[in-house]
Amino acid sequence: WMTDSGRELFKASESDDRLTHYTIEGVHKTDAETSQAAAELLKSGDVALVGSAHSSVEEQFFYRLMADRCGASVSLVSHTGSGDGILQSEERTPNLRGALLNGLITKLPDADLTPLARDINSGAIKTLVVVNEDVTKLGISSELLAKVKVVYFGTHANEVSQVANIVCPSLMVYEKDGSFVNQSFRLQKFKAAVPGPRGIQSDITVLEKIVAVLGDEKPTALTIDVAWERIVDKMSAFEGLSWRGITDEGIALDPAQFVDLPFVETKNLKFDPVAFKEAQAASTEA
């Protein structure tokens, strides 16, 4: 029998606004056809990527690789709220640190996409890739969105997916394997709890097909282990690690490059930013 929490997860995965089809100009296509079309569109240049700190370490790695290969600028938007000093943090995304360690971003996200809106309005951006964000609520109006080609990755429909030229539906966090980096820069993995919608591939599988075309390569059959071989080969922050080697307790990563950034988290039950910085300073001096 499914537990109450399992039933809630399954109910959310089956909601009416869930994206369940790969589409090109509103027409249902295969993931291979959609990936090919997305890659060809990105090859034309003048691309901007609106990424997400809700994406896993593995997904962020492939988004970074995609951006590198098509010369895209990358933006992330901050999602913050009030903390309760116990378990709820002011930072509302699970993988902001992962985005930094992956090199997807080099600074903390902005509150909105006003700079990107100016680039779209000027004609400097021709194609916009959006990951699980409704950019019409973040500084890019529907009128501006109409000026660019849009590739959308996401779990649920929104104002962006409804007008996107290409839509790639995503799996939700409990439908896939992956990893996040928490506020203490500890790498933690998660595993699929329920199946995703029939026919929907993991984001990294679709992204592998896109980045392969962008690199004039043949896509490979990607597993989480193969993805980690790629990550370890290219990203020094994850050197020596493997998917299977991530323990239940997680693995502490080196935060030295980012420890002085003005993260929004204050002290809570599991994290004390002052003590954390002091511990890192002491470790560096030792």
Side-chain angles (χ1 to χ4, degrees):
W1 291 90
M2 188 178 291
T3 65
D4 288 343
S5 60
R7 279 190 287 270
E8 288 301 315
L9 293 178
F10 186 77
K11 183 179 178 181
S13 70
E14 295 297 307
S15 60
D16 290 341
D17 61 346
R18 184 71 190 271
L19 294 173
T20 56
H21 296 285
Y22 296 91
T23 63
I24 302 174
E25 304 297 349
V27 179
H28 294 182
K29 298 290 184 178
T30 66
D31 64 289
E33 292 170 327
T34 307
S35 301
Q36 180 70 34
E40 294 301 329
L41 188 56
L42 298 180
K43 278 186 174 182
S44 63
D46 298 329
V47 180
L49 165 67
V50 178
S52 173
H54 283 94
S55 297
S56 68
V57 167
E58 299 78 18
E59 291 160 353
Q60 289 174 350
F61 170 78
F62 278 93
Y63 283 119
R64 158 76 188 278
L65 187 57
M66 182 182 72
D68 286 348
R69 290 191 175 184
C70 69
S73 63
V74 179
S75 303
L76 259 69
V77 177
S78 63
H79 293 279
T80 61
S82 298
D84 62 7
I86 304 175
L87 293 176
Q88 183 162 280
S89 168
E90 289 83 357
E91 175 58 50
R92 292 293 195 260
T93 63
N95 202 31
L96 175 59
R97 271 73 167 180
L100 290 164
L101 290 166
N102 263 316
L104 185 64
I105 55 174
T106 57
K107 63 181 184 67
L108 296 184
D110 294 321
D112 60 34
L113 297 169
T114 300
L116 179 56
R118 289 195 293 265
D119 289 339
I120 293 174
N121 192 48
S122 71
I125 299 300
K126 301 293 194 302
T127 299
L128 185 65
V129 180
V130 180
V131 183
N132 246 338
E133 295 279 15
D134 185 350
V135 299
T136 65
K137 297 178 180 179
L138 300 171
I140 298 177
S141 66
S142 298
E143 291 75 20
L144 277 180
L145 203 58
K147 291 187 174 186
V148 294
K149 297 288 187 180
V150 178
V151 180
Y152 183 75
F153 290 83
T155 58
H156 290 75
N158 61 20
E159 296 294 327
V160 181
S161 69
Q162 290 171 8
V163 300
N165 304 88
I166 297 173
V167 174
C168 297
S170 299
L171 295 177
M172 300 181 77
V173 67
Y174 42 79
E175 297 169 344
K176 60 189 176 185
D177 295 338
S179 60
F180 292 137
V181 180
N182 73 8
Q183 56 194 351
S184 298
F185 282 87
R186 182 170 290 272
L187 177 68
Q188 299 175 304
K189 70 180 178 183
F190 56 86
K191 296 182 179 180
V194 298
R198 184 184 301 273
I200 303 304
Q201 307 297 319
S202 68
D203 275 21
I204 61 173
T205 297
V206 176
L207 290 167
E208 159 67 5
K209 294 174 182 177
I210 294 174
V211 300
V213 173
L214 292 175
D216 295 321
E217 301 167 353
K218 183 178 180 180
T220 60
L222 200 66
T223 64
I224 194 78
D225 295 302
V226 172
W228 266 89
E229 290 174 6
R230 303 264 191 93
I231 293 169
V232 170
D233 181 58
K234 293 184 178 294
M235 305 305 302
S236 60
F238 303 101
E239 184 177 359
L241 302 181
S242 68
W243 163 251
R244 297 181 187 276
I246 304 174
T247 63
D248 291 341
E249 296 75 24
I251 296 176
L253 303 177
D254 183 4
Q257 186 179 355
F258 307 107
V259 72
D260 290 325
L261 289 177
F263 295 106
V264 299
E265 293 97 337
T266 58
K267 184 177 180 179
N268 58 50
L269 189 62
K270 291 192 173 184
F271 179 66
D272 183 340
V274 175
F276 180 73
K277 290 182 69 172
E278 290 175 347
Q280 296 305 315
S283 175
T284 301
E285 294 171 359

